[in-house]
Amino acid sequence: ETTIVWGKRPEVTPDRYNVEVNATDDIMVEPYSRVIEEGLSASFNITLGEGVSSFHIVVNDEEFTTGLPDYIKYADGILTIGDIHNDLVVMLIQD
């Protein structure tokens, strides 16, 4: 049995998530936060202050002291968080 529905098809609105990146005093993050559609990536510019040679991260209270999780990349001063499916709070902590 086939049903025909007349009119405009409702637009599917993808879910949106807040991604917030904080840092200790000697690390600057820009922008501070973004709202991202589900499944997309968010990039943040990272500037390390004088004397900062490395950092580790905490993502939603889970600390990563020896490397980054697979969905986060850092290269050339840009931190990219990929395939976002929930709100994220990321903290950059100077080593």
Side-chain angles (χ1 to χ4, degrees), residues 48-92:
L48 302 178
E50 284 284 323
V52 178
S53 59
S54 65
F55 61 87
H56 67 279
I57 67 170
V58 176
V59 179
N60 290 354
D61 297 323
E62 182 179 354
E63 190 165 14
F64 296 89
T65 57
T66 58
L68 298 173
D70 293 340
Y71 59 93
I72 297 179
K73 306 290 182 217
Y74 177 72
D76 300 323
I78 298 175
L79 184 77
T80 303
I81 304 167
D83 199 26
I84 296 168
H85 293 280
N86 58 300
D87 291 334
L88 296 171
V89 176
V90 178
M91 181 70 180
L92 307 179

Side-chain angles (χ1 to χ4, degrees), residues 2 8 14 19 26-27 29 34-35 39-40 53 63 67 70 79 81 84 87:
T2 302
K8 288 187 175 184
V19 180
D26 292 335
I27 302 172
V29 179
R34 297 185 64 189
V35 176
L40 297 181
S53 59
E63 190 165 14
D70 293 340
L79 184 77
I81 304 167
I84 296 168
D87 291 334

Side-chain angles (χ1 to χ4, degrees), residues 36-55:
I36 303 296
E37 289 183 4
E38 183 168 21
L40 297 181
S41 299
S43 294
F44 299 85
N45 294 315
I46 307 298
T47 304
L48 302 178
E50 284 284 323
V52 178
S53 59
S54 65
F55 61 87

